[in-house]
Amino acid sequence: MNRTRVAIIGLVALLLVALGASGWLWVERGTLISRDATTQAEFGKLKDQVTAADEVQDKNRQLQDQVNDLQERLNNPPTSVAEPTSPALEPTATPEAGPTPTVDPAAPTPTGPGGVEPPAEIVAVMKQIEQEVIALRGLPEERPVTRRMLTRDELRDYIVKEMETENTPADFRHETSQMWMLGLAEKDIDLQQLYIDLQTEQIGGFYDPETDTFYIIAENNDFPAADQITYAHEFNHNLQDQLINLQDGLKVGEFDADRSLAFRSLVEGDATKLMSDWLQTDLVPRMSPDQLQELLRTLQEQQDSSDILEKVPGVLRDGLVFPYEDGLTFVEEVYAAGGWEAVTKALQDPPTSTEQILHPEKYLSATRDNPSLPNQFDLLPVLGADWTTAMTNTIGEFDLKSLLNYTDAAGDMDAAAAGIGGGRMSLYEHTSDFTPVLQWTLRWDTAADGDEFLNLFRATFKSNGDLLLRENDLNRTDDDVHVGIKGSGQEFVVIFSSNQDNVRNALNALP
């Protein structure tokens, strides 16, 4: 295989990771449809992915030089290239006998969005991919799957329906309040519409574990190479689901969001590695250099058309990308310790925090570094009868890194977020005017770890007497957020609210 061809393969594999091959699109963890969905992410992260791959994969050594060489060669392509005998979209398996089935386009699958059954020739390619993935991953298929194709409009209708079923206006209000008080989003951002638009643009396919059904987004009954890669990734999720029941692993997100994100990162990292390996082992030998370059152009066109993704708050983009990028790095470390068998064992004994995903040695060590969650003091009696507890959940290293990154903290943000033992959050809300109060309780491995974070965190606010102040919009006094901190070192509490009295009353009541 010549240098150009190797570079194209490497660039396609890494671009797929940078675009986000597939995942539960729970950007704000729990507010979006709970389905396994193939998505696009950020092409701008390609350089970071090249560096990460160089560190964790021997097969990608010197890939940066190859990518740079490829860019020159794409700008000055050769006058001719040799074509292989087997095109990318031509299956080696023989399609099933009989005519292409006629399907009612409106016929839904159980609890699903409908769509149509793929034509027989596409089903044959899908079955070929399934057998290749089974052989590569080493997991058996114990239940048959259903395959459907959706248009983008059908996908959007399904997203809207699912969102109306699974979420209330209060859910979006609570998420907005929390993000606003943390300085991560505008106060009046329309999260519901943003999520609908984001998913409609980003999802290229998804696996529904409740019905063992794959959905591929296709407007013209085509099944190009990019969709085949998606399908390989999705089918791996089916194998995972038959091993451990993915829904059980995700249910913890209702009360332990950090653990849920760690689980999804393992699942997505597994599928992303499998996808990359399958691309190079099975798909590439069926493709010519021209077809590889066409795939690369297709993926970049998808990124260039990602208008909605560019508009969402950065913390939401990070939440979308994290399971693929950091999940892949984690899985590569597990794989290096024992191959696919070790990854399978990890699915059966998954990581319990994003700290373990970001620092795989804390998962792989003989004495695993599991979260140590602090007690959370209940502020509801202090706030009064007109208040309610709107949300409670956990906080992890991913959340702290995002907070520092998007509130203009100055310093080593990675180091400041590291060393978190565990965290809890509670959001309280006034029942009539919806005034919010946010409470964070953070426990650290050492007092030095806690103080390192606290010093960077304090610097993102103005001093305002006994409190801290964030002036989100200098033209609006109702956009100010007041912050109080009690304690320091190994454990402390942070209170956020637009009302100074609420912050002071909460601080005074804390033990």
Side-chain angles (χ1 to χ4, degrees), residues 74-125:
L74 289 179
N75 292 332
N76 300 282
T79 56
S80 64
V81 292
E83 295 290 335
T85 58
S86 177
L89 302 184
E90 180 180 331
T92 57
T94 302
E96 294 180 339
T100 301
T102 302
V103 182
D104 177 6
T109 56
T111 72
V116 299
E117 183 179 342
E121 60 270 17
I122 292 180
V123 171
V125 179

Side-chain angles (χ1 to χ4, degrees), residues 87-379:
L89 302 184
E90 180 180 331
T92 57
T94 302
E96 294 180 339
T100 301
T102 302
V103 182
D104 177 6
T109 56
T111 72
V116 299
E117 183 179 342
E121 60 270 17
I122 292 180
V123 171
V125 179
M126 290 177 168
K127 289 182 176 180
Q128 176 184 339
I129 293 171
E130 292 167 11
Q131 293 307 308
E132 292 168 345
V133 169
I134 289 171
L136 194 60
R137 183 60 180 83
L139 292 176
E141 182 186 21
E142 299 177 353
R143 299 191 303 267
V145 297
T146 302
R147 311 166 188 87
R148 309 288 288 181
M149 302 184 82
L150 297 176
T151 66
R152 188 74 48 186
D153 288 341
E154 288 173 325
L155 172 65
R156 186 181 185 87
D157 291 344
Y158 177 57
I159 291 169
V160 172
K161 181 181 177 180
E162 285 289 295
M163 198 165 289
E164 291 174 348
T165 301
E166 300 294 332
N167 300 278
T168 67
D171 292 332
F172 292 105
R173 185 176 68 246
H174 300 156
E175 294 289 350
T176 300
S177 294
Q178 182 183 189
M179 292 177 65
W180 165 66
M181 283 188 290
L182 292 172
L184 301 174
E186 298 293 332
K187 186 176 185 179
D188 54 0
I189 187 174
D190 187 345
L191 280 183
Q192 182 172 4
Q193 189 61 50
L194 180 62
Y195 287 157
I196 291 172
D197 293 341
L198 179 64
Q199 292 183 91
T200 301
E201 177 191 80
Q202 293 291 297
I203 292 177
F206 61 93
Y207 166 61
D208 181 354
E210 293 181 358
T211 61
D212 291 327
T213 302
F214 294 104
Y215 295 93
I216 295 293
I217 313 306
E219 300 291 342
N220 301 307
N221 272 350
D222 291 332
F223 197 47
D227 288 350
Q228 294 181 48
I229 297 168
T230 292
Y231 192 77
H233 188 120
E234 298 299 338
F235 187 75
N236 189 54
H237 285 315
N238 169 58
L239 300 181
Q240 296 168 334
D241 185 43
Q242 296 185 32
L243 175 71
I244 61 169
N245 192 333
L246 295 178
Q247 295 285 27
D248 289 345
L250 290 169
K251 286 178 181 178
V252 299
E254 297 177 6
F255 56 88
D256 194 343
D258 189 62
R259 184 172 184 167
S260 178
L261 181 56
F263 175 76
R264 290 201 310 278
S265 298
L266 167 62
V267 170
E268 293 302 341
D270 176 346
T272 301
K273 175 170 173 52
L274 180 282
M275 171 202 70
S276 179
D277 289 355
W278 175 83
L279 170 73
Q280 299 182 60
T281 302
D282 294 288
L283 181 62
V284 165
R286 303 196 279 268
M287 300 183 75
S288 70
D290 279 351
Q291 288 171 325
L292 281 168
Q293 292 193 45
E294 179 60 31
L295 173 59
L296 180 59
R297 283 190 289 268
T298 298
L299 295 174
Q300 179 137 19
E301 287 172 0
Q302 291 176 349
Q303 164 58 30
D304 292 342
S305 63
S306 298
D307 296 333
I308 302 301
L309 188 63
E310 295 303 317
K311 296 177 182 177
V312 303
V315 65
L316 298 187
R317 288 197 302 272
D318 285 359
L320 174 61
V321 171
F322 183 85
Y324 310 111
E325 293 189 349
D326 294 274
L328 175 61
T329 302
F330 175 84
V331 167
E332 290 284 4
E333 290 290 328
V334 175
Y335 184 89
W340 282 117
E341 182 180 355
V343 178
T344 298
K345 289 181 179 179
L347 287 172
Q348 298 167 319
D349 182 22
T352 54
S353 68
T354 55
E355 180 184 44
Q356 292 177 357
I357 296 295
L358 290 163
H359 309 278
E361 69 280 2
K362 296 191 175 186
Y363 171 83
L364 294 170
S365 65
T367 303
R368 192 174 297 176
D369 188 354
N370 287 317
S372 174
L373 294 174
N375 295 322
Q376 180 85 312
F377 183 80
D378 185 7
L379 290 177

Side-chain angles (χ1 to χ4, degrees), residues 484-500:
I485 301 171
K486 185 162 186 177
S488 62
Q490 198 161 4
E491 186 167 322
F492 50 84
V493 180
V494 186
I495 306 294
F496 306 77
S497 183
S498 58
N499 184 295
Q500 299 182 57

